[in-house]
Amino acid sequence: MTTGEQDPQQDTGTRVDDYAALAAVGPYGVRPGHALITMVEPHPGHEHAYNRWYEDDHYYAGAMAMPWMYAGRRWVATRELQELRYPEKSAVAQPVTAGCYISTYWVTEGRYDEHMKWTVGINKRLNRDGRVYQDRTHVFTAFQDHAATVYRDGAAGPRDYHALDHPYVGLVLQVIDAEGTEQRAELLEWLRSRALPKRLHGSPAAMVTVFRPTPLPGDRMTYVKQVEGVDTRLTLLWFLEEDPRTCWDRFQGLDAEVAEAGLGRVELVAPFIPTVPGTDRYVDRLR
């Protein structure tokens, strides 16, 4: 045994043998069956400290190190990008500019329950150990089930499981509320078969992923509010090959389009660009 290695038989605290048993059972595909989408607003004056905590610690210890969370990417909305958002009266963000950072993560299809057991446990531990930054507000945080992916270029190009690793230069978050469960099913079919293919054609967006929110467990951390619109809401992520500021005209009127179809109300359309990991780029452009 080389220096630094530990005899598993002597490791009574980490239950090493359990990992081999768990790895041998259950789904282990690559499809993003579930997502965590979390939009957060650091409190004024805490932007730099929040960014360093998330970049240096929480992105890893509170997300990527967890079982079955296999891809992640973090995005930012500078003040210029925040001011492009609509509608002004949003059920998601009050004011509509709230939530200057968003993180997106993929969870392996069929592994939601296993991941949730771990994430609740690790976040309780992180909180107990003083590794949770408190001066922030969760504007829109929800685990979500994958409902559809629509591609601009058919079978060509990256798939949805590549989306958080491919160097897309922009993201647009769109949140739509239907009137009820049956209306949401109709809305999803309309998006998948008609609205999204038409919008994607010739656009800078390579794909749109569509998700349905799921309720958070009762033993979640108290600073994260329960998810709204579990039976009525759809969350769309548009992955862009151009900076959203250069092509924002392509994303105007999404609210009117849904309203005219009589299938729901768009509650938020918000553009973001990727953060640069390990840096404080854009922190001085949030306000």
Side-chain angles (χ1 to χ4, degrees), residues 219-239:
D219 55 354
R220 71 191 184 281
M221 301 308 295
T222 56
Y223 52 76
V224 182
K225 66 180 181 179
Q226 188 52 272
V227 176
E228 299 173 347
V230 169
D231 296 322
T232 58
R233 181 164 286 177
L234 290 176
T235 305
L236 286 67
L237 300 176
W238 300 69
F239 291 92

Side-chain angles (χ1 to χ4, degrees), residues 60 94 97 104 113 116 153 164 166 206 246 252 258 285:
Y60 302 103
Q94 300 93 31
T97 53
T104 51
D113 291 341
M116 286 305 299
D153 302 324
L164 302 184
H166 187 79
T246 67
Q252 296 291 341
V258 173
R285 296 166 57 186

Side-chain angles (χ1 to χ4, degrees), residues 2-230:
T2 61
T3 302
E5 293 181 337
Q6 186 173 13
D7 183 354
Q9 301 303 315
Q10 297 179 357
D11 185 4
T12 59
T14 58
R15 300 167 60 180
V16 169
D17 289 343
D18 289 352
Y19 289 84
L22 292 171
V25 297
Y28 67 120
V30 300
R31 293 302 308 274
H34 321 276
L36 170 60
I37 301 170
T38 174
M39 188 167 72
V40 172
E41 179 75 10
H43 295 171
H46 292 266
E47 296 85 358
H48 180 271
Y50 168 78
N51 189 58
R52 289 273 45 85
W53 164 75
Y54 205 103
E55 290 279 330
D56 298 342
D57 189 11
H58 198 63
Y59 178 82
Y60 302 103
M64 294 306 299
M66 296 191 202
W68 307 114
M69 182 170 273
Y70 69 89
R73 198 169 192 191
R74 192 164 176 247
W75 315 78
V76 61
T78 62
R79 189 65 188 179
E80 182 182 9
L81 287 164
Q82 294 166 37
E83 291 174 350
L84 295 176
R85 295 180 181 181
Y86 66 91
E88 184 178 355
K89 293 182 179 180
S90 167
V92 174
Q94 300 93 31
V96 71
T97 53
C100 54
Y101 284 106
I102 191 168
S103 296
T104 51
Y105 302 97
W106 291 167
V107 177
T108 301
E109 186 172 29
R111 289 295 191 171
Y112 176 80
D113 291 341
E114 293 91 331
H115 177 76
M116 286 305 299
K117 289 290 186 181
W118 189 286
T119 192
V120 169
I122 200 66
N123 276 287
K124 287 183 176 180
R125 182 181 180 186
L126 290 168
N127 192 59
R128 185 174 63 246
D129 292 345
R131 288 174 62 182
V132 174
Y133 198 83
Q134 301 295 342
D135 290 299
R136 76 200 199 281
T137 299
H138 282 264
V139 177
F140 178 71
T141 293
F143 281 88
Q144 317 241 356
D145 288 338
H146 180 258
T149 301
V150 181
Y151 298 99
R152 181 192 61 201
D153 302 324
R159 303 292 86 189
D160 49 13
Y161 44 85
H162 301 126
L164 302 184
D165 296 310
H166 187 79
Y168 289 115
V169 297
L171 177 80
V172 174
L173 168 70
Q174 181 183 4
V175 180
I176 311 175
D177 283 341
E179 292 297 325
T181 303
E182 292 183 3
Q183 289 82 358
R184 183 173 70 175
E186 185 179 356
L187 170 65
L188 175 60
E189 179 55 31
W190 174 77
L191 287 168
R192 179 166 41 198
S193 63
R194 296 177 57 189
L196 295 181
K198 181 178 179 181
R199 280 271 178 173
L200 284 169
H201 181 71
S203 84
M207 72 176 82
V208 184
T209 57
V210 187
F211 294 90
R212 294 181 292 253
T214 61
L216 289 169
D219 55 354
R220 71 191 184 281
M221 301 308 295
T222 56
Y223 52 76
V224 182
K225 66 180 181 179
Q226 188 52 272
V227 176
E228 299 173 347
V230 169

